[in-house]
Each structure stands twice: as C-alpha cells, then as structure tokens.
C-alpha cells in the first residue's frame, strides 16, 4: 500500500525537479520472474528512487544499515522494499547481519522478485565507473544454485545526470541486454570463485557501455565539452541524446587537443560573467517579457500557496547535506514529503471551516496554481539567462558568439557528432 503511494509521490516530485527524465531499452527487463538489476551509482538514494518510478515492476534494493536503527524507520523503509546492508568496517556484528541480508536477497530472487544492487558500493558524481564488488554476483550464483533457477537475468543499467544538483537538469537511464547468471552454473559447480569473477567482469563491462566514463586526466576536457554539446543540442529524443553523449565520451581521449580553446572561451565568458547556457540562449529567438507579466498574478498565487514547504525543503538540504551526491535526493524527498503534509493540512483545515466540497475545489485550485507557478519559474530562469546575455554590448556579444561557433565547429570535427538541424 505504501510503496505505490510513495512511487506516485516521488514520480511527481522528480518530474518537477528534472526538466527531462529519459529512458531507453527498459523493455529489456523481463515482465515476470526473478531479475537482478545492477547499476552505477552517481546520486545516492536518488538512483534507486529513479529506477523505482521507471520500472513497471516493484523493485527491492539495499541501503546503508545504519539508517535502519530506529524501529519505526525500519518498518517504514521495509514497506518501501528497502533492506539493510552493512560495511565491513562495522566489525563481526555487521558481518553477521549481512548474512541475514544475503539470505533476504536470495529468497527474494527465488520468489521471482526484482532486486537492485549498486556494485560500486558507494555513490559518486564523477564520470568514472568504479570497480564492481562481487557481493551481488555471489548472491546471484547462490540463488541459481540453491533454488535450481532455470534462468536469472542480470540487467545492466546506466544512470547519467547532466548535473548532480541543478534544478531543471536532465537524467537518462538505459538498460542493456540480459546476462543470464544460470549460464555460469557449470563453472560455479567446480570453480565458484572463477564463476563469480567472470560474472562480475561481464556485468561491469556491460554497465561500462551504458555510462559516461572517462579517465581522471580526461575528465576536465570531457565535462566541459559535454556541457557545450548539451547546451547546443537542446532537447533531443532519448535515443539520440544517449547516442550523442556516448559519442563524445568515446572520443574523450582526443578532447585534450581542445583544452586551449576551451580555456580561452571560458576566460572570455568570465570577463562578462555569462554562462555558456546564457550565450546559447542569446542565439535563439528572444523570449517575450509580456508572457511574464501576463502570468505573474497566477504565479504569485501559486508561490504563496506552495512556497513554505518548498523553501523549507531547500533550507533542510542546504543546511544538512554535505555531500554533493546526496543533495538532490534530500531536496526532492523533503519537498515531496512536506508538500504532502501541506496538502493534508489544507484538507483538514478546509474540512473544519468550509466543508468537503469547497475544500475539494480549494485543493484543485491550489494544485493548478502550483503547477503553473513551477512552469512559470522554469520560463523565468530561461528568460533571465537570455536577458543577461542580451544586455552585453553588441560587438562583444557578437565576438563571443563567433568564438563559441568556432569552438563548436572544432568539437563537431573532433568528436564526429552531427549538428542538430537548424544550427
């Protein structure tokens, strides 16, 4: 009961935070039977929540054991299909508890459930896939062996965020072709360690093909180039977006030749305090100010009705979160929960003062105004960025545009990606 409710709530919250949530090939996840999902881990609990709203089937996943200490919290988390897993640093007691977690995972697979693991072990925001730990794959082989499962598809998943914390950013999720753990049964019978190692390596290679991955020495040029490409290309269909970004990633070793030009371009931007996104917007048709004035009354009403829970959520995230990869999850989850409480408060006060029918109308108006004010704010952020660029004196703005155009031509040349029509 709680799982589908929270799924709908988080789907709305993430739909508001992200400009686009793209997905590709998720139909490769079987519609029935046991499934083990293995994914990279760029954004803490947001990764699991994202897969939870995108998958048609309920998923079970494992989170840090220290958040399950409180009995009430423990019950809530387990109702959300979350199960504890402990780091070895905790000593023998946590290792024993992990034995329990392993049994839970094996039994879930035996019952035909979907189980999610992040084999990197820790979340991180850099464009680099860390080596996989073997625990998830040991569980897969034990489930196949002990319960004689005829098949256990392991589905590789790649999760990629355009920015770890920025509002109205983009996230794309791609699934790869299944790897059947049961195919390793023969090796596992005589050489279990070798079978687990081979399965781990095969899964790592599969996920590696689905994520944006560069070496540390290539990371700076890759991130800067990818940022320009995203701003230039704008909105693309999921498959085209993924293909474009993967093409840039595949050429990342050669992007170092662009670093001098990238540095010169960013120095030019800094002299005007503009962002690349603002300069890209300046090349598009000017967004009318009249739209802002016409929509202002409804937007103000929407913010008056929704501002308190949203601002409170922002204050919580800013004050309590110290790791970048946790920030978005805390912000979105807090905003969703506080908004739900806010609506419940409006409902209870409305019932007491004006009756259920009028309260229903008030709630509908509140929701519509809130939705509109959020769209208005998204439009306003674009208008503000474009207006900042257009305020730069014409010769300097023209010079920046030419510099950017030349840099983009070089990026097209080095990466081999195709221009978006109209550019």
């Amino acid at each position: 009961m709680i799982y589908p409710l929270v799924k709908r709530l988080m789907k709305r919250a993430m739909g508001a935070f992200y400009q686009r949530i793209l997905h590709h090939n998720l139909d490769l996840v079987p519609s029935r039977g046991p499934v083990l999902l293995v994914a990279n881990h760029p954004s803490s609990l947001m990764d699991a929540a994202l897969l939870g709203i995108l998958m048609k089937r309920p998923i079970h996943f494992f989170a840090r054991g220290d958040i399950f200490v409180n009995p009430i919290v423990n019950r809530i988390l387990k109702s959300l299909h979350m199960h504890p897993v402990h780091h070895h640093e905790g000593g023998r007691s946590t290792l024993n508890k992990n034995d329990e977690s392993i049994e839970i995972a094996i039994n879930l697979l035996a019952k035909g459930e979907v189980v999610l693991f992040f084999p990197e072990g820790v979340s991180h925001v850099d464009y680099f896939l860390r080596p996989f730990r073997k625990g998830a794959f040991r569980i897969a082989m034990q489930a196949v062996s002990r319960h004689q499962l005829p098949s256990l598809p392991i589905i590789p998943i790649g999760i990629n965020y355009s920015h770890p914390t920025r509002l109205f950013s983009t996230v794309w999720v791609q699934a790869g072709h299944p790897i059947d753990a049961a195919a390793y049964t023969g090796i596992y019978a005589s050489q279990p360690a070798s079978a687990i190692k081979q399965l781990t390596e095969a899964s790592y290679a599969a996920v590696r093909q689905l994520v944006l991955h560069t070496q540390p020495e290539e990371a700076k040029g890759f991130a800067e180039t990818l940022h320009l490409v995203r701003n230039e290309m704008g909105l693309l269909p999921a498959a085209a977006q993924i293909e474009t970004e993967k093409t840039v990633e595949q050429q990342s070793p050669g992007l170092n030749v662009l670093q001098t030009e990238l540095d010169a371009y960013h120095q030019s931007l800094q002299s005007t305090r503009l962002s690349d996104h603002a300069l890209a917007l300046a090349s598009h048709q000017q967004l009318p100010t009249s739209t802002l004035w016409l929509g202002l009354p409804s937007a103000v009403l929407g913010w008056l009705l929704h501002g308190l829970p949203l601002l409170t959520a922002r204050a919580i995230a800013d004050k309590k979160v110290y790791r970048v990869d946790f920030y978005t999850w805390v912000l979105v989850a807090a905003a969703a929960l506080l908004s739900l409480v806010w609506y419940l408060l409006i409902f209870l006060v409305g019932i007491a003062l004006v009756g259920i029918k009028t309260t229903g109308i008030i709630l509908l108006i509140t929701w519509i105004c809130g939705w509109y004010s959020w769209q208005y704010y998204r439009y306003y952020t674009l208008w503000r960025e474009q207006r900042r660029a257009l305020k730069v004196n014409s010769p300097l703005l023209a010079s920046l545009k030419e510099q950017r155009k030349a840099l983009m031509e070089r990026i097209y040349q080095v990466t081999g990606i195709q221009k978006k029509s109209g550019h």
Side-chain angles (χ1 to χ4, degrees), residues 162-307:
S162 65
H163 193 277
T165 61
R166 186 171 294 159
L167 185 63
F168 306 138
S169 55
T170 296
V171 54
W172 58 262
V173 177
Q174 184 177 17
H177 291 280
I179 300 169
D180 192 354
Y184 294 79
T185 304
I187 304 173
Y188 185 74
S190 57
Q191 297 178 295
S194 177
I196 293 168
K197 182 175 183 291
Q198 291 181 43
L199 185 56
T200 303
E201 291 174 349
S203 299
Y204 178 89
V207 175
R208 167 68 181 79
Q209 295 300 314
L210 303 173
V211 301
L212 300 175
H213 171 96
T214 62
Q215 297 302 320
E217 62 272 16
E218 303 162 3
K220 183 175 184 291
F222 171 67
E224 291 177 351
T225 302
L226 189 60
H227 182 65
L228 265 71
V229 169
R230 286 167 172 163
N231 289 337
E232 181 74 6
M233 292 295 187
L235 303 182
L236 293 174
Q241 181 82 27
I242 294 169
E243 181 182 2
T244 298
E245 297 195 8
K246 285 296 293 179
T247 299
V248 176
E249 179 248 327
Q250 290 161 8
Q251 300 300 323
S252 59
L255 295 178
N256 288 335
V257 301
L258 297 174
Q259 196 59 59
T260 300
E261 295 160 86
L262 286 166
D263 290 342
Y265 174 64
H266 287 301
Q267 286 176 3
S268 298
L269 286 179
Q270 288 173 5
S271 67
T272 58
R273 297 184 179 180
L274 290 180
S275 66
D276 177 70
H277 189 223
L279 187 57
L281 288 172
S283 300
H284 297 166
Q285 184 178 356
Q286 187 171 342
L287 299 172
T289 306
S290 59
T291 302
L292 292 176
W293 286 112
L294 290 172
L296 183 60
S298 298
V300 169
L301 178 59
W303 275 108
L304 288 174
L305 292 171
H306 292 83

Side-chain angles (χ1 to χ4, degrees), residues 101-102 105-106 109 117 134-144:
S101 299
I102 290 170
I106 291 173
L109 292 170
F117 275 101
K134 298 176 183 177
F137 309 101
R138 186 174 290 109
I139 287 170
M141 293 312 305
Q142 288 182 10
V144 169

Side-chain angles (χ1 to χ4, degrees), residues 28-30 151-156 175-181 206:
L28 292 173
V29 178
S151 176
L152 174 54
I154 297 177
I155 308 294
H177 291 280
I179 300 169
D180 192 354

Side-chain angles (χ1 to χ4, degrees), residues 310-382:
L310 296 180
L311 291 174
T312 303
R314 177 68 178 268
I316 291 172
D318 288 345
K319 186 175 181 180
K320 298 295 184 180
V321 180
Y322 300 99
R323 284 181 51 175
V324 174
D325 49 331
F326 279 77
Y327 184 86
T328 300
W329 161 253
V330 173
L331 176 61
V332 173
L337 180 60
L338 291 172
S339 294
L340 180 63
V341 172
W342 183 251
Y343 270 85
L344 180 60
L345 181 61
I346 293 175
F347 176 77
L348 294 175
V349 172
I351 290 292
L353 297 180
V354 296
I356 189 167
K357 184 176 181 179
T358 304
T359 300
I361 296 173
I362 291 173
L363 286 173
L364 179 61
I365 293 173
T366 300
W367 183 85
I368 292 173
C369 289
W371 174 86
Y372 178 80
S373 66
W374 200 245
Q375 303 307 312
Y376 180 95
Y377 182 68
R378 181 176 297 181
Y379 180 90
Y380 169 72
T381 59
L382 294 174

Side-chain angles (χ1 to χ4, degrees), residues 228 232 265 276 400-408:
L228 265 71
E232 181 74 6
Y265 174 64
D276 177 70
L400 285 171
K401 287 182 178 180
E402 284 301 316
Q403 187 178 7
R404 187 181 193 280
K405 181 179 179 181
L407 179 55
M408 286 307 307

